[in-house]
Structure formats: C-alpha cells, structure tokens
Amino acid sequence: MVSRSYSNLLELASGGGGGGGGEPLPSLGRRRVPRVVTASGIVPGLDASDDDDDAASAASDHSSHAPRERVIIVANQLPVRAALRPGAGAGGGAGWDFEWDEDSLLLQVRDSLRAHHGRGDVDFVYVGGLRDDVPPADHDHVAHLLLEGFRCVPTFLPADLRSRFYHGFCKQQLWPLFHYMLPLSPELGGRFDRLLWQAYVSVNKIFADKILEVISPDEDFVWVHDYHLMVLPTFLRKRFNRVKLGFFLHSPFPSSEIYKTLPVREELLRSLLNADLIGFHTFDYARHFLSCCSRMLGLKYESQRGYIALEYYGRTVTIKILPVGVHLEQLQSVLNLPETGVKVAELLKQFNHRSRLLLLGVDDMDIFKGISLKLLAFEQLLIQHPEWRGRVVLVQIANPARGKGKDVKEVQEESDAMVKRINDAFGQPDYQPVILIDKPLQFYERMAYYVVAECCLVTAVRDGMNLIPYEYIIARQGNEMIDRVLGLGPSSRKKSMLVVSEFIGCSPSLSGAIRVNPWNIDSVADAMDSALEMPEGEKVLRHEKHHRYVSTHDVGYWANSFLQDLDRICLDHNRRRCWGIGFGLKFRVVALDPNFKKLAVEHLVSAYRRTTKRVILLDYDGTLMPQTSFGKSPTSKTIDMLNSLCRDKNNMVFLVSTKSRATLSEWFSPCENLGLAAEHGYFLRLRRDAEWEECITVIDRSWKQIAQPVMKTYTETTDGSTIEEKETAIVWSYEDADPDFGSCQAKELHDHLESVLSNEPVSVKAGLNHVEVKPQGVSKGLVAKRILSTMQERGDLPDFILCVGDDRSDEDMFEVFACTVGRKPSKAKYYLDDPADIVRLVQGLANVSDDQASLHGSSSGATLPDDEAATATIRR
C-alpha cells in the first residue's frame, strides 16, 4: 500500500495500489491507520470480526514496532537524475535509468542527518519533478520505480505547463523581483502575466495532490523548499488544518518597496503564513518578510524567548533565521579522490612554478552573479597596481545558467568581450591574466581549483546564499593527501582569503572575509590587492575562524535545527480547535482554545426568558458599530433596539465606551433608560428604582498639561499620526502612519511620557497602533465591577449578565464576565462572528422583552450558570 493519506480509503482497505497496469505500488513503511478510520466497521479489514487472526497479528505488529518519524521533503526537482537508454521507446518505462544526484541539497540533508544527528531511523520521502520529460505512457512505471527504489514521488507536468510555471512565472517574474529587478520594461524580468500566475498556482496544486497520496497528517512533517512552491502551504493547510508544515526560502526576500509591486503580493504572503515555520538564510530577508506582513496585512511580530513569531488568527507562525551549510562528508570524500590530487598537481605545475598567484571565481552565468563587475575590478587592479602584472591570474569558472533568455546570452557575450580586452591589454607570451572556463567541470576539478587558489572572489550583486566560500574554506583546509601534494608538513597551519559581496546570504557568517560593494569597482580592486598583500599570519587566523564556523554549521546542523524547531512548534496542534475560513488563496485557519465556544443564541434567549434581574453591558465601536464604518453615530435602528431593551424593567442596560461624556450624552439622548458608562472611572445616569442619577468621579487632569506638548511634538514629526483627547485620557494614534516609523516613534514616545509623568498618578500604555495615557487603575473592568458592587449594595444582584466587546480595551471587562466579537484569542469564553451577529442577538433579546411586555407578564427567575454567564468576542 502506497498511501497513508485519507484520500484513497477504498484502495487502502482493499490493498489496491495506484501503480501502472494494476500493479500495487510499494509500501511507504509500516502502515499507520489515520484516526478517522480506526473505528470498527468503517474500513473493511480493520474490524476484528472480519478476521480475528489477522487482527491479532496486526495488534502484535503494532505493539512491537513503533511508528517511524517521517519527513516529506517537497521541492521543484527530485534529488535524482533520469536517463532514457539509447534506443529505448516509450511505454512500460523499462528504458529508464535513475541515480541519486549527489549535488542535490535535499539528498545531502538526508545523508547528513542520518550520519551525525541521531536521525538514522527517520524515513525521508521526496515529492518533486524530474528534469526530463517522461512520456505519459511511462508515468505509472517510472513512478513505481522511483517510489520503490528512491522513496521519491514524481510530479509529472505537461511540457507547456512546466514551461509557463518554471521558465515563465518562476524565472521571469518571481526570481528577478526577489533579486530586486523591477519589471520596468519587458526586457527587465517581464511584466506580470495572469496566465503565468495561473500556471504557477496549478502546478502548486498538483504538488499538493501528490503529497496527499503519501501523507499521514497527524504524524508526518512536511518541509517545502523555495519560491517555486510558495502557495503550496495554503493547499495543504486547507486539506489538513493541523498539518505539520515548514517552509524554507533559499532566495533573497526583497524589501517591502520592491515586493509590494507584485500584483499577487497578498496571496503569496497569506500562503506562506499557512506554514508553521518559515525559514530564511539571513535576518535581512526575514526582516523584509516581516515588514511586508506588517505593511500589507497589518500583522505585528514579537520575540518569544529568542524566537521571532507572528500571531495569525490564533496560530503562531515562527520565523527561523539560519544559513544553510555544506555537506562536509561529500567534500571530504571528493578531496580524498586520487584524481583530485592529480588535478591539484597539474594546477600547481601550471601556476605555482612560475610564482603566480591564483584568484578564483566560481559563478553561474546569470545577470546577478556579477561576473562582469569582477572582471572590471580585476582590470582596475592591473591598471592601479602594475606590480601584479604577470604575477596574478584570475580563473573564472562560469557554470551554465539555470534559466534561459536574452539576458543570459548578453552576460555571456559581455564576459567574453571583457576577457579578450583584458588579455589583449595585459597579456604576455607566457602570461594570460584571465582564464574563462565556460564549460561544466567535474566536482573534483572544482575542488582542485579551490585548493590552489590564494583568494576566492564572490561578487554577486544579489544572491540568496552562495556556498562557494564555504566549499573553498573546506578545500583549503585539505587533508593528508592534499598536504603531501602541496608539500606541507603535518604541523603546517592552513590559510585562505575571501573577498565577498555584502549582498549575498553567506556574508554575515564570514566575519573574516573582506566584504565589498560589488558595484564599487575601485573598492573591489583594492580588496583584491589587500587580500594578496595580507600577512600570512592574518590569513591563517581568518581561515581558522571561518573553518570553525563552516565545519560546525554544516547542512546537517541546519536541517536538524529546522526540524527540531518544527517539532517544538507543532506540539500543541492537537490541543487547539481549528476552523478554516476564507476562499481560494485567502484561506487561513483559526486556532483557538478548546474552551472558547461560539455563543448559542438559542441558549442565551432561553436564559433571558427565565430571568428577572438582568445586566447587559455593550461596547460600541466594533461591537454595535463596525470599526470600518465612517459614520460613528448610532443609527435609528440601533436607538430603537436599545430602547426596546431599556423599556424592560427587568433590564439594566449599559453602554461601556471610551468615548467622551459629551459625545455619549449627545448620541444616546433619545435612549432615556440607557445607562452610559465610561472606562475612566465615572458613571453617567445610573438608575435607582425608576430614577437615574449621575455618579461622576472627580479625577485630577492636571497631568494633561504635561503630556499634551510631548504628544504634539511626536505628532508633528510623525506624518499620519493623530491625538485623540478623551474625558480623562489622551491617545496618540499612528494607525495611518508608516508602520515601522510609527512603531519606532511609539516606543520613544512611551519612554518619554513615562519619564515626564513619573510623579503623576497616571499609567502609560502602548496598544495596537497607539499610546494611551490615563489615570492609574481605571479600565472597563473597573466599570463592570463598580456596576455590580453598586447593585449589590442595594441588594439588587442580577441573575443574568451579558457583556459584549471586541478589542483589547474590553479584555479587562471580560475577566468579570464576557462575550467577545470575533473568533480570536480572548479572555472571553464565547465569541460571535461580527457586529451583524451582535445586532441580531440584541435585537432578538429586545423582541423577547417586547413580547413579554405585550403579554403583561414576565418569567420567574432562573439563574444563567456562572460558567456561561455572558462571554463572547468578534472575529477579525
């Protein structure tokens, strides 16, 4: 049986597979039946009555074999190479040969984790595409061979769809934009094409369907790699709300000013946020992603015990910052090859016997690797420092570009022309300043060049990571065989020099390298000269520092750290209740505490009918009135609804608001029996018997004269910020300001106000997009307690309490009793979806009061249970 998913239970039950020609596919390990099919009678063969002997055998197997941890690694390409045998025709798949791609990061992750990080028993399954087109007639057999021999699940894409997906949207639109190239013209990355975007989404959906064939969502971890599959998390989260899902981006993530030009910017962000853990190589990339989430989605992030996290609809999305490393075992094995030593000896004879120093560049032939800038800098070195002519050689290894197009051809032509110009200007009969190698090299040949190079140059103008410097450091460390070829003794200390661009992902981890701005040609030329002139002792120290880092932060360390964090983050998945909301790529999951329930209107109305002393407290903004409403004054419908509630002599209805006393009195003057309560320590119109009295606490407001000038200064210097003066409080809001600058200014303002108001009886609190100063110890919670205590003093205790609000200012009130508006984390016990639900609820209660009044009777008092006494919130 191949599948451990819920998607093919009939085949699972019958033991059928999905292989070609009716042949069952090989097993993906010991079957772990999903929880939904373990009940007796649901799936034939799982019921003990079907076959007692088989059931007993299965129970014995289950008790003796614990389930293996399994990681499903998903990427655009599988870590295998496929080849069609010469002369083999399509059909049956017998003409295909497969082998592992030893250069694939995905394979290196598996090998390194199993060898050195205690994960030898982890089952790795790969989902991805093949580089070669496989005829449809061969699909079933090729899939069978890959699954059986390589634990790989291939995604077969039609040629035209794959071209529009990879060469179209990925390479023409996402890849240039993520490397800071705006599509200002069709030649620069290409304009946004909706058809290419649809192809991208379609391919991600195909990948999701393949994962569904093999996943056991309660147990497996899914690790998605790179920008090719950025919407895949949404498809998986939509199918399995609690899937354990990590995503790692191997490319740069651009600044918000660049990213926000993408027409589908929000869809990609929301899709990534459907992962549990999102990984980046550097803090810069993570910072740009978080800034985009803040500016475009209004999300805030915070540090939680050393981890950066976003709260997204009750789910915690964690950000991981860790650069990938190299596969040490692979590099060491290549260094140990006899042909590597032979190649090193050959290169020594070519360069060292003439006392020439070798500068090395290894780059893909694309527009972002900065090959032409490197050649210009080397030319400048030979112009400014004639002493290096005839003594230093630049060997530039240009790997074939991964993409294709006009820009690749232009880079090739420009590089060839520059190499010819430099060699013509500075070459000698036995001296060629630049050697351009534009054909593929064997890995051992590249390692040999690393060994003999005095300095490695990486001058990419933008690159996600770039492991060339790491490989160079390991090669320069060498081994016994290499040392013998180089003529070094056992006690010889190794050395290396690096000149690296500050725009590549590995730069922050190489503190001993000479960092350069590749666009500054003179600066790069000076860095080359410094690397050549540097004292030997300093080269040794820099090399040793780099080697300590690279040798301890290999690919296994990186992968193990990521999977450990993913495991930790997903521990509470089954302890939370989840709901899926939204359509298409705006789908997201709301995760809440199991005790947080939707308020049952029928239950509330029933309790309302049975009780005779009721207290109802309602927030206004966001509860009775939507936050997005421009007109904030109550409608005639709201006034009529409140009047219906207030006319019931069994009700004490209060509007608890942060609005000023004057505003509340003006807006709700038609509601003669409505109690108005403000959060800042006073009441308005509290009814005693049939009469209302004003209970106003006199509060010292002299501190405002200190706070107002300070807030005014920050308002003048922060475009988009405002000051709102309330009855006893002042609020500085930066909701319409730049979110990053506004947040920074808010922190400064908070500290400034705390300093100047340290001797005043006020508190300074920072909230969502605002800073508030108000008297100490006052809140909506205090209002709620005072209302109850006043009623208690009169011997008028209520047997029904309903309290409804929607934001953080209501949370203190919810500690007393609560219903919050919106399905979100809250101190309330119940929620309602939106203000429209609240209006329907209040209108329903008002109708009950009207009906009871028309019948001239009221129900005898029954108390609403304390644990259900009035709690709810509004979903955002």
Side-chain angles (χ1 to χ4, degrees), residues 435-638:
I435 299 174
L436 178 63
I437 303 174
D438 57 359
K439 63 180 180 180
L441 292 181
Q442 296 290 329
F443 192 28
Y444 78 87
E445 296 179 291
R446 195 168 85 199
M447 291 295 287
Y449 275 102
Y450 288 146
V451 170
V452 300
E454 185 70 15
C455 177
C456 185
L457 310 173
V458 183
T459 56
V461 296
R462 190 72 59 180
D463 205 351
M465 182 57 192
N466 201 314
L467 294 175
I468 298 301
Y470 289 8
E471 293 177 355
Y472 169 70
I473 291 165
I474 297 301
R476 291 288 289 183
Q477 185 66 20
N479 55 31
E480 292 183 5
M481 182 193 76
I482 296 298
D483 288 349
R484 287 195 299 270
V485 176
L486 295 174
L488 299 177
S491 60
S492 297
R493 298 176 69 184
K494 310 301 172 59
K495 62 179 181 177
S496 63
M497 273 308 303
L498 284 166
V499 175
V500 300
S501 166
E502 60 191 42
F503 301 120
I504 63 177
C506 66
S507 176
S509 61
L510 298 172
S511 56
I514 301 176
R515 298 193 182 104
V516 295
N517 174 5
W519 300 100
N520 189 335
I521 303 302
D522 291 334
S523 174
V524 177
D526 290 342
M528 292 180 183
D529 180 61
S530 298
L532 294 169
E533 293 282 8
M534 187 171 292
E536 297 296 301
E538 186 171 348
K539 291 181 181 179
V540 169
L541 293 176
R542 289 174 183 250
H543 169 79
E544 290 176 348
K545 182 176 184 179
H546 288 160
H547 185 259
R548 280 194 300 270
Y549 177 84
V550 175
S551 60
T552 56
H553 292 73
D554 66 345
V555 65
Y557 174 89
W558 168 77
N560 190 58
S561 178
F562 189 91
L563 292 175
Q564 281 182 339
D565 282 352
L566 182 59
D567 188 19
R568 173 185 56 82
I569 293 163
C570 298
L571 286 177
D572 68 340
H573 270 198
N574 291 326
R575 294 198 294 266
R576 300 180 70 81
R577 299 166 66 223
C578 296
W579 291 267
I581 60 174
F583 296 98
L585 294 179
K586 293 186 178 180
F587 174 85
R588 60 269 190 203
V589 167
V590 177
L592 299 172
D593 186 274
N595 296 322
F596 194 45
K597 306 172 185 177
K598 186 165 184 175
L599 186 62
V601 176
E602 298 81 2
H603 176 77
L604 186 70
V605 170
S606 174
Y608 184 85
R609 290 181 184 276
R610 299 194 309 268
T611 52
T612 58
K613 295 181 181 179
R614 313 182 190 107
V615 173
I616 300 173
L617 292 95
L618 302 172
D619 176 50
Y620 185 69
D621 286 330
T623 303
L624 293 179
M625 179 64 64
Q627 289 281 11
T628 55
S629 176
F630 284 98
K632 293 298 185 180
S633 58
T635 63
S636 58
K637 181 180 179 180
T638 302

Side-chain angles (χ1 to χ4, degrees), residues 5 7 72 74-75 127-128 153-155 157 200-215 222 224 229 231-240 243 245 585:
S5 72
S7 59
I72 300 174
V74 191
V127 177
V153 179
T155 56
L157 303 176
Y200 181 83
V201 174
S202 296
V203 170
N204 276 250
K205 179 63 168 60
I206 292 173
F207 272 75
D209 291 341
K210 284 295 179 182
I211 296 170
L212 295 183
E213 294 179 8
V214 297
I215 189 174
V222 181
V224 181
L229 302 172
V231 300
L232 180 56
T234 288
F235 291 121
L236 293 179
R237 186 69 62 188
K238 188 172 185 179
R239 184 62 180 85
F240 301 117
V243 64
L245 179 58
L585 294 179

Side-chain angles (χ1 to χ4, degrees), residues 20-51:
E23 181 181 358
L25 291 177
S27 172
L28 279 178
R30 181 164 299 277
R31 171 70 192 173
R32 292 172 289 179
V33 180
R35 297 176 184 176
V36 297
V37 299
T38 55
S40 176
I42 293 181
V43 178
L46 292 180
D47 195 339
S49 63
D50 290 340
D51 192 330

Side-chain angles (χ1 to χ4, degrees), residues 327-396:
H327 187 17
L328 291 175
E329 288 73 20
Q330 181 196 35
L331 298 180
Q332 292 292 349
S333 66
V334 174
L335 284 175
N336 283 322
L337 293 175
E339 49 263 49
T340 304
V342 172
K343 185 64 178 179
V344 170
E346 177 186 322
L347 293 175
L348 288 175
K349 183 178 180 181
Q350 180 180 353
F351 296 106
N352 283 22
H353 82 285
R354 295 177 181 175
S355 300
R356 285 177 183 159
L357 299 176
L358 177 62
L359 300 180
L360 179 64
V362 181
D363 305 279
D364 292 343
M365 185 64 78
D366 70 49
I367 57 177
F368 296 112
K369 293 302 187 287
I371 294 177
S372 59
L373 296 176
K374 186 187 304 179
L375 293 172
L376 286 173
F378 183 70
E379 181 181 40
Q380 191 71 7
L381 172 72
L382 298 180
I383 293 173
Q384 294 180 349
H385 301 276
E387 67 273 15
W388 290 119
R389 298 175 190 174
R391 295 179 54 200
V392 64
V393 176
L394 172 62
V395 174
Q396 176 62 54

